[in-house]
Amino acid sequence: MTSTPILAEALAAGTVVLDGGMSNQLESAGHDLSDELWSARLLAERPEAVTEAHLAYFRAGADVAITASYQATFEGFARRGIGRDRAARLMASSVESAREAARRAGARRPLWVAASVGPYGAMLADGSEYRGRYGLTVDELERFHRPRLEVLAAAGPDVLALETVPDADEAAALLRAVRGLGVPAWLTYSVAGDRTRAGQPLQEAFALAADADEVIAVGVNCCAPEDVENAAATAARVTGKPVVAYPNSGETWDATARAWSGRATFTADQVRSWQTAGARLVGGCCRVGPEAITGIARTLRAG
């Protein structure tokens, strides 16, 4: 039996398909994600549901599963009365759930697991993950992120997904926090047009990762599909690294109402232009489900 190639090798050979939104897949299966822990709550209460969600995306054609640890933090679990030891076990279980789904998928292609690391604002659960500028220093943000990064890295994912980062200062903290963990990472910003959500020019934001040896890909996620092509081209030009792109459906999240509005604009045909701009990891984020991932996989593999 041959071993799965490391993800960096796969990116050098071609384009890899990511999964879609974990939250919408769980909600479509009837699970309530309305509390502050979001999908991370199911790691404690319904772990099988998490595995089934990953399995749906592998069967749809995804090569990479992004774990349900986006909102999993020691601080967030503590608010639910979950101590540090159990919180660490739950974070590690997010990687194990994705591995189990890969095993059940029985695919004849390599499958990988990306351990999701959401921004500080995700723990706050107040919409600040779309704004950044938390009033914390880079040192304080590094101290927040490092302990759970250590737990997730020890669980053995193929890559750490530093995702939905709204602020270049937080990106700097995350890049410091992943040093020495022995697991590669990708870094993706949540953007609006040609700037981070906190308002920094993307060229400056991406440049932070250009010389980071731990980072194998840089790009965007949880943004409008229309923002991907320009951001991908900028990331490729500034860093020289493969680009990762997984936007939302195009609908808009209202953090106050905790609901989506507008219409979906995401189509599988768009991924061709993203690929031309440098994208080598392509998938979807919020409101992008298995059907769309199947479309992406067929589009890319047809080429």
Side-chain angles (χ1 to χ4, degrees):
M1 180 173 153
T2 58
S3 61
T4 299
I6 62 173
L7 187 55
E9 292 174 347
L11 296 181
T15 305
V16 173
V17 180
L18 302 178
D19 62 8
M22 169 61 71
S23 60
N24 55 273
Q25 183 59 20
L26 290 170
E27 287 174 337
S28 69
H31 301 288
D32 179 10
L33 304 182
S34 60
D35 71 3
E36 291 185 352
L37 280 178
W38 203 34
S39 57
R41 178 176 58 82
L42 297 188
L43 292 172
E45 297 179 6
R46 295 291 301 275
E48 178 61 20
V50 175
T51 302
E52 289 292 335
H54 289 310
L55 183 57
Y57 282 117
F58 280 138
R59 288 175 171 166
D63 303 311
V64 181
I66 302 174
T67 65
S69 52
Y70 174 84
Q71 210 126 342
T73 64
F74 288 109
E75 294 81 357
F77 281 130
R79 289 199 295 263
R80 296 291 297 271
I82 297 174
R84 289 187 72 84
D85 287 347
R86 188 178 179 218
R89 290 195 298 271
L90 291 174
M91 292 179 204
S93 76
S94 70
V95 176
E96 295 160 8
S97 289
R99 289 282 185 219
E100 173 62 14
R103 186 191 67 78
R104 292 187 198 177
R108 296 186 178 181
R109 65 186 189 278
L111 300 177
W112 294 274
V113 172
S116 173
V117 180
Y120 179 82
M123 180 272 295
L124 298 178
D126 62 358
S128 60
E129 64 196 282
Y130 298 106
R131 301 188 301 270
R133 307 282 83 184
Y134 313 117
L136 300 179
T137 66
V138 172
D139 287 345
E140 289 170 329
L141 288 168
E142 181 185 4
R143 287 195 293 271
F144 166 78
H145 284 296
R146 178 73 186 198
R148 66 181 179 137
L149 279 165
E150 292 175 342
V151 169
L152 289 168
D158 298 292
V159 64
L160 296 164
L162 315 177
E163 59 177 355
T164 326
V165 180
D167 192 321
D169 286 349
E170 185 162 24
L174 284 162
L175 292 172
R176 281 166 39 173
V178 297
R179 290 175 187 163
L181 293 178
V183 179
W186 77 54
L187 171 69
T188 52
Y189 289 97
S190 178
V191 304
D194 62 355
R195 292 179 175 266
T196 68
R197 292 283 186 169
Q200 298 116 338
L202 288 185
Q203 181 166 325
E204 296 175 11
F206 288 134
L208 295 174
D211 297 322
D213 293 338
E214 296 84 0
V215 176
I216 61 171
V218 180
V220 294
N221 80 293
C222 205
C223 61
E226 295 76 17
D227 287 338
V228 171
E229 185 175 356
N230 176 68
T234 301
R237 183 181 71 254
V238 170
T239 69
K241 297 177 185 285
V243 173
V244 52
Y246 49 117
N248 295 335
S249 66
E251 296 161 274
T252 302
W253 173 250
D254 184 331
T256 302
R258 298 188 64 81
W260 292 92
S261 62
R263 65 181 184 86
T265 59
F266 185 106
T267 68
D269 293 340
Q270 293 168 313
V271 303
R272 284 288 189 209
S273 64
W274 305 345
Q275 189 180 38
T276 299
R280 296 294 177 267
L281 284 144
V282 178
C285 198
C286 300
R287 307 283 284 182
V288 178
E291 184 177 351
I293 298 306
T294 296
I296 290 173
R298 286 175 177 168
T299 298
L300 293 176
R301 289 166 188 156

